[in-house]
Structure formats: structure tokens, C-alpha cells
């Protein structure tokens, strides 16, 4: 898959670790920043990743900040983005199966790299189930106005 990665300063280290893992799994990864631990603003990176996913340049986006919360709020402001924060594998799987999430946010101050890797693995490998869930996702899209 072609995956866009983004973080702020708090997620910088985890982004590097996950980027290397994603490449080792055979994914094509674009790191859209941040590129250091210098303090930056998470909406700037959520916008880059979210716009890339919404435009179809990437099949999935992964955003990492301290909590995953700010990245989720920011990414969901972009039309076409369905961003979730998931810190357990069940939520990660359901966010794909039922919600067709196209952006995953993680909190580097909440979970460690080992769990983050498992969550990303489950999230990227779970297919959207469609069916009755498609109707609900269509209603999400209509809420965008
Ligand atoms: C940065 O201190 C922190 O607020 C940010 O990484 C994130 O957790 C925001 O939601």
C-alpha cells in the first residue's frame, strides 16, 4: 500500500520506527514530516496527510502526536477523511471493518512502539466490510455538507 506518515515533535520518534517497519512489510511510505523533535503544530501535519489521502494520493494515512487526539480532530476537518485514534487492536480492526477509516492516529505518549506496530498491522490488513456499513459511511460523507 502507499501510506502517508505524519507526526508532530511528540510523535517524531515513533514515526521513524513505524516508517521503517512499514517499509520492511513492503509498503511504499511517504514521510510528510515533522522532520525533527523541534516543537511544531500538529494540525499542519494532519492537513498534509489528510489532504493526500482525500485526494487519493495515498491509500492510508498514519498520524502520530502525543495523544493521537489533536491529529484526529484536525484530520477529520478535511472532506473525505475518516480519521480515528485507536490504542487497542479491536478498535483498530473495527475502525476499518465498520467505519472504513482511512487515517489512523496514534499517541506516542500513550502506547509504546510494540503495541503501535500491532495496531498498525491490524489496521492496514483489515478490509472494510461494506454492506450495511456502507450505508452508514455514506451518511458520514453526507454530514460533510
Ligand atoms: C504536544 O505537546 C501535544 O499537545 C500534541 O502532541 C498532541 O498530543 C495533541 O493532541
Amino acid at each position: 500500500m502507499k501510506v502517508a506518515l505524519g507526526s508532530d515533535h511528540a510523535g517524531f520518534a515513533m514515526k521513524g520506527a513505524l516508517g521503517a517497519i512499514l517499509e520492511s512489510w513492503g509498503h511504499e511510505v511517504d514521510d510528510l514530516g515533522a522532520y525533527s523533535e523541534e516543537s511544531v503544530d500538529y494540525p499542519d501535519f494532519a492537513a498534509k496527510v489528510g489532504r493526500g489521502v482525500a485526494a487519493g494520493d495515498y491509500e492510508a494515512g498514519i498520524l502520530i502526536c502525543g495523544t493521537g487526539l489533536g491529529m484526529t480532530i484536525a484530520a477529520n476537518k478535511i472532506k473525505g477523511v475518516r480519521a480515528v485514534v485507536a490504542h487497542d487492536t479491536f478498535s483498530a480492526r473495527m475502525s476499518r471493518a465498520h467505519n472504513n477509516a482511512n487515517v489512523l492516529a496514534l499517541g506516542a505518549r500513550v502506547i509504546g512502539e510494540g503495541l503501535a506496530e500491532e495496531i498498525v498491522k491490524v489496521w492496514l490488513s483489515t478490509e472494510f466490510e461494506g454492506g450495511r456499513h456502507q450505508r452508514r459511511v455514506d451518511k458520514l460523507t453526507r454530514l460533510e455538507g
Side-chain angles (χ1 to χ4, degrees):
M1 287 174 82
K2 193 166 178 198
V3 181
L5 273 187
S7 78
D8 68 359
H9 50 287
F12 174 74
M14 181 177 279
K15 173 167 65 61
L18 289 178
I21 290 164
L22 285 166
E23 284 178 348
S24 80
W25 291 343
H27 296 290
E28 188 183 336
V29 178
D30 264 1
D31 182 346
L32 303 182
Y35 300 116
S36 78
E37 289 188 328
E38 183 185 334
S39 184
V40 290
D41 300 329
Y42 59 81
D44 297 335
F45 301 93
K48 286 185 184 186
V49 169
R51 287 182 181 135
V53 171
D57 297 339
Y58 304 99
E59 294 162 85
I62 298 175
L63 289 164
I64 309 153
C65 62
T67 59
L69 299 172
M71 287 295 199
T72 306
I73 294 167
N76 278 320
K77 302 287 184 194
I78 297 161
K79 268 190 181 182
V81 169
R82 288 177 301 280
V84 295
V85 58
H87 288 141
D88 64 275
T89 54
F90 179 76
S91 300
R93 183 158 55 81
M94 297 306 281
S95 79
R96 289 285 313 127
H98 286 191
N99 311 117
N100 201 13
N102 52 13
V103 172
L104 171 69
L106 297 168
R109 294 173 178 160
V110 182
I111 58 169
E113 287 179 6
L115 180 53
E117 177 181 336
E118 288 301 309
I119 288 167
V120 168
K121 185 190 290 177
V122 165
W123 190 73
L124 287 177
S125 62
T126 303
E127 296 289 331
F128 178 51
E129 287 178 8
R132 68 188 187 280
H133 303 296
Q134 183 63 61
R135 184 180 69 242
R136 294 159 187 168
V137 170
D138 288 344
K139 289 189 176 187
L140 290 179
T141 302
R142 291 205 287 279
L143 288 174
E144 293 176 335

